[in-house]
Amino acid sequence: MLKSLTSWYVEFVILVIIWIILGVVKQKFPQLWPKKVLVLDVMLVFIVFGLHSVSVAWTGLSILPFMAFAASAYGLVLTLYLIYTEDDFRFKRFFVTYWRTLDIIGIGAYFIMIFIQSAKFLGII
């Protein structure tokens, strides 16, 4: 039973359900949701857990240490870029740019791994 709850397709369905619930909460109760926070910003936390489980199921290794290194390297490069182009550093602009880029990279990596895992499951690969 526990093995079936941790399989990649069950976790994908759970992520979709969480995404739908957060979307409904944002639409139906806007007073409870911060105005500048997107659903994807909150979903990144759950996607990271999904990335870990799918990468372990696919390769036997977790992709999280590699993504943490890449995210920190990207943060350093983004900091240097913002200082070079604007001659000052505004944390709000940095954080929003950094977090939204991590959103895109995280969801892209997750969908690529889900695609590969589903192709492997169906016997295509």
Side-chain angles (χ1 to χ4, degrees):
M1 177 71 180
L2 187 61
K3 178 71 174 164
S4 67
L5 288 177
T6 59
S7 60
W8 62 272
Y9 48 87
V10 173
E11 289 179 1
F12 179 73
V13 170
I14 290 171
L15 277 175
V16 170
I17 291 170
I18 291 172
W19 194 308
I20 291 170
I21 290 171
L22 288 174
V24 168
V25 168
K26 184 176 181 178
Q27 276 189 340
K28 298 295 182 182
F29 306 105
Q31 67 274 14
L32 298 176
W33 195 271
K35 291 181 181 178
K36 295 184 180 183
V37 175
L38 302 176
V39 173
L40 185 57
D41 295 338
V42 178
M43 281 301 297
L44 185 62
V45 176
F46 299 108
I47 289 172
V48 165
F49 290 117
L51 270 171
H52 169 71
S53 65
V54 171
S55 65
V56 168
W58 181 40
T59 63
L61 283 174
S62 177
I63 196 170
L64 293 184
F66 304 107
M67 289 194 70
F69 176 75
S72 62
Y74 171 68
L76 181 64
V77 169
L78 181 63
T79 301
L80 294 174
Y81 174 76
L82 290 175
I83 290 173
Y84 179 74
T85 58
E86 297 180 9
D87 293 332
D88 67 339
F89 181 77
R90 287 179 274 159
F91 183 72
K92 183 177 179 182
R93 178 172 179 183
F94 165 79
F95 189 72
V96 169
T97 305
Y98 181 74
W99 194 259
R100 299 282 162 84
T101 305
L102 288 182
D103 287 344
I104 293 168
I105 292 170
I107 194 95
Y110 184 72
F111 279 131
I112 288 170
M113 287 199 171
I114 286 293
F115 177 75
I116 292 171
Q117 194 68 7
S118 61
K120 186 177 171 184
F121 180 74
L122 296 173
I124 298 172
I125 293 179

